[in-house]
Amino acid sequence: MERYRIRRLRAALLALTAAGGLLLTGCGAGEGSDSGGHQAEDGSNGAFPAPDYDSGGGTGEQKDTDGSDDTDDPDSREFAPAPDYLSTFALDVDTASYGYARRTLAEGRLPDPSTVRPEEFVNSFRQDYDRPDGNGFTVTVDGARTDREDWSLVRVGLATRPAADAGERPPAALTFVIDISGSMAEPGRLDLAKDSLGVMTNRLRDDDSVAIVTFSDEAETVLPMTRLDGNRDDIHDAIDSLEPTDSTNLGAGMETGYETAEEGLREGATNRVVLVSDALANTGDTDADTILERIASERREHGITLFGVGVGSDYGDALMERLADKGDGHTVYVSDEDDARKVFCDDLPRNIDLTARDAKAQVAFDQATVSDFRLIGYDNRQVADEDFRDDSVDGGEIGPGHTVTALYAVHTRPGTSGHLATASVRWLDPKTRAPHEESGRLETGALHDSLGDASPRFQVTATAAYFADVLRDGDDPRSSLPGAPSLRELKETAEDLAKKTEDGAVRRLAETIGRADRAMD
């Protein structure tokens, strides 16, 4: 049986044992504890009989069948327990990892492997999924066979309704928490934020509200929550007054920011904190868990969500991601004026509304046709399988116009055919908190014969995942995805796909892969 090296999973399993199965709160929820079947409301176990469950968090990767340790073998590798045929995770629309990798490679450096999250590479590109008419999701499940025998890539795609016109969404109450520490003086940090915030202020509605909090060695509320109607000049003056000063007391900034958001809380509005920072905390409370607990309490009590905007060539990626996870939000990274304008002037105003809270996905693989599977990325988004329908367990907060993509490497049993997988998404209505579910199925006969036969958008997804896998694991063939091409081949594929899709983002992907290829020579 094909085996995968799983360096990161080893650490996750050790941490899981120490934690005694406790779940971390936040967008990503906890890492999966011992997996178990969850009965549907009609008492059944889903589309096919549930297997005997073993521990393993739903990765589907297997250890040696003889149970040997192989510790004397220098080439030995640790493997997860036998697969339980369920994979459950909280939804995520972060893209910061890909943006930061692009910035790093543009400067001639390879990104630190610890900052590479494949799901954020995949979710950085447009998809071809159908959209629902109202709140909730459509579920698309498709796949293609790879060059490695009996291995396929399976894509699970979730899509929300298109973003409404600006006049149709609820009003917004946005508290901007802006880092003005000395490091923010670097071109492409505070200057970009100020310019983009100014343009965004002109695009927000009169019934929207804005507050501004700054932090360096201490935090200050520069502008309390203020309606835009009749006050745009005051807001512009507050933005123009921002200047870089001293060190980075991120803890003080977050505490003051959430206090300001709570004081300006508006019923019936989307209340959100927008953190703009390089996330390099070096003064005051730099302990992530303490900062995170403040975010968690405000999220639970008032439903305030967090949107993290990362900037700078030196960037605290891990801290920003954890903050957004704990704050029921997501992160992006901006490296230039085009990125900043898109985030502040297009994406944020258009996607202020929420369409789903605590959204989770569960993919059930049919043990009659599947012997092995691997979820690509979502390492810190795992949810215990039995918690899929436990609505007290955190999931992800998703807005209109979003797509969420999860890619799996799937090993099918030779010569089998029929049902391969059922993917389900569960979420809470953002207003009523009523639970909803949708599902989609995939049969082995629906798999494309090769990646080249799949849709261009599927190929872009695969290309982004292969690229992330190389950056994270290098050229180690034992950890690569099935059918992985070389970087040079990936670059050529991306160039062809850029022509087919006429998508500038795919063209920039090809350029970024080319830079990685040169950096690795």
Side-chain angles (χ1 to χ4, degrees):
M1 178 175 292
E2 185 70 21
R3 302 170 183 170
Y4 283 101
R5 190 177 188 182
I6 51 168
R7 295 189 293 264
R8 291 173 301 283
L9 185 58
R10 176 186 181 187
L13 290 173
L14 290 173
L16 180 62
T17 302
L22 293 177
L23 293 175
L24 295 175
T25 59
C27 174
E31 294 186 7
S33 61
D34 288 353
S35 298
H38 183 95
Q39 285 197 328
E41 294 175 357
D42 62 1
S44 68
N45 283 319
F48 43 86
D52 292 331
Y53 291 108
D54 194 358
S55 61
T59 64
E61 294 166 303
Q62 292 190 338
K63 357 175 182 185
D64 294 336
T65 54
D66 61 4
S68 61
D69 190 11
D70 288 342
T71 53
D72 295 332
D73 181 357
D75 294 326
S76 68
R77 302 185 294 281
E78 295 200 20
F79 300 91
D84 61 6
Y85 297 93
L86 285 175
S87 172
T88 310
F89 58 95
L91 269 54
D92 177 32
V93 292
D94 288 356
T95 60
S97 176
Y98 174 65
Y100 187 46
R102 281 186 56 218
R103 166 71 177 262
T104 305
L105 287 164
E107 295 175 346
R109 300 178 291 122
L110 287 171
D112 186 322
S114 67
T115 68
V116 176
R117 293 182 290 277
E119 73 275 13
E120 297 187 21
F121 280 55
V122 165
N123 283 306
S124 294
F125 299 93
R126 290 204 304 270
Q127 294 290 355
D128 51 2
Y129 310 138
D130 292 334
R131 301 257 183 193
D133 295 330
N135 282 352
F137 296 88
T138 56
V139 181
T140 301
V141 192
D142 55 4
R145 301 183 186 278
T146 71
D147 292 340
R148 188 175 295 178
E149 186 176 5
D150 295 322
W151 280 94
S152 300
L153 293 182
V154 170
R155 180 179 65 161
V156 175
L158 310 170
T160 59
R161 60 172 167 80
D165 294 336
E168 298 177 8
R169 64 166 171 79
L174 305 176
T175 302
F176 289 91
V177 179
I178 301 176
D179 187 346
I180 58 168
S181 61
S183 61
M184 292 293 287
E186 174 190 305
R189 298 195 187 196
L190 185 57
D191 57 338
L192 276 184
K194 289 173 61 175
D195 179 66
S196 301
L197 285 172
V199 176
M200 187 201 68
T201 297
N202 294 331
R203 296 190 181 183
L204 290 173
R205 296 186 334 211
D206 285 346
D207 61 345
D208 292 330
S209 301
V210 169
I212 297 177
V213 171
T214 61
F215 67 93
S216 53
D217 55 343
E218 57 185 24
E220 177 186 2
T221 300
V222 176
L223 181 78
M225 193 64 72
T226 303
R227 294 282 183 111
L228 273 83
D229 187 17
N231 297 304
R232 292 180 194 270
D233 289 343
D234 293 337
I235 296 171
H236 280 294
D237 289 344
I239 294 170
D240 293 340
S241 71
L242 303 180
E243 296 293 340
T245 55
D246 301 313
S247 51
T248 309
N249 191 338
L250 181 57
M254 294 304 296
E255 182 172 358
T256 303
Y258 271 83
E259 288 175 352
T260 302
E262 184 178 352
E263 290 169 0
L265 195 74
R266 291 179 57 185
E267 294 296 330
T270 300
N271 295 275
R272 181 166 297 173
V273 169
V274 182
L275 172 63
V276 183
S277 176
D278 56 18
L280 300 174
N282 56 24
T283 301
D285 193 350
T286 59
D287 179 65
D289 290 334
T290 304
I291 300 172
L292 292 167
E293 183 53 39
R294 172 68 181 179
I295 294 174
S297 63
E298 298 298 337
R299 172 192 59 77
R300 287 191 296 266
E301 293 174 20
H302 304 292
I304 299 172
T305 59
L306 178 67
F307 180 41
V309 181
V311 296
S313 55
D314 293 323
Y315 168 53
D317 168 81
L319 178 56
M320 182 68 88
E321 188 206 14
R322 290 183 66 192
L323 288 170
D325 290 351
K326 199 78 166 184
D328 277 353
H330 63 283
T331 63
V332 299
Y333 179 85
V334 298
S335 60
D336 54 32
E337 185 175 347
D338 288 342
D339 286 349
R341 289 291 180 98
K342 181 177 184 298
V343 167
F344 287 107
C345 306
D346 298 330
D347 295 347
L348 183 57
R350 188 174 65 242
N351 296 322
I352 284 173
D353 196 9
L354 284 178
T355 59
R357 283 191 179 272
D358 289 323
K360 311 183 201 72
Q362 184 169 85
V363 182
F365 291 94
D366 194 328
Q367 60 186 321
T369 56
V370 173
S371 62
D372 238 336
F373 63 88
R374 171 187 174 190
L375 174 60
I376 302 169
Y378 292 93
D379 297 340
N380 59 353
R381 300 292 194 270
Q382 299 297 307
V383 174
D385 296 331
E386 63 269 22
D387 287 337
F388 176 61
R389 292 188 176 91
D390 183 346
D391 296 326
S392 68
V393 174
D394 280 343
E397 272 54 46
I398 308 296
H402 283 151
T403 60
V404 181
T405 299
L407 200 65
Y408 288 85
V410 178
H411 187 259
T412 52
R413 300 186 188 277
T416 59
S417 62
H419 177 257
L420 191 146
T422 295
S424 301
V425 58
R426 183 179 177 88
W427 72 96
L428 303 183
D429 183 278
K431 295 184 177 64
T432 67
R433 300 297 179 120
H436 302 274
E437 286 189 24
E438 288 288 346
S439 296
R441 292 169 56 93
L442 179 66
E443 305 293 314
T444 58
L447 292 170
H448 294 283
D449 290 335
S450 69
L451 290 175
D453 292 335
S455 71
R457 290 295 171 185
F458 186 105
Q459 294 181 57
V460 171
T461 299
T463 301
Y466 280 132
F467 180 40
D469 204 55
V470 172
L471 293 178
R472 193 161 68 158
D473 291 323
D475 57 0
D476 187 344
R478 296 172 300 184
S479 60
S480 64
L481 296 177
S486 67
L487 281 176
R488 188 158 302 175
E489 292 170 325
L490 278 179
K491 176 178 178 291
E492 293 172 354
T493 298
E495 288 173 340
D496 290 340
L497 290 169
K499 295 175 183 176
K500 291 179 181 178
T501 60
E502 298 181 345
D503 187 342
V506 181
R507 175 180 51 78
R508 289 188 290 274
L509 172 63
E511 295 168 354
T512 303
I513 295 173
R515 293 188 181 105
D517 189 26
R518 292 190 293 273
M520 286 186 172
D521 283 343

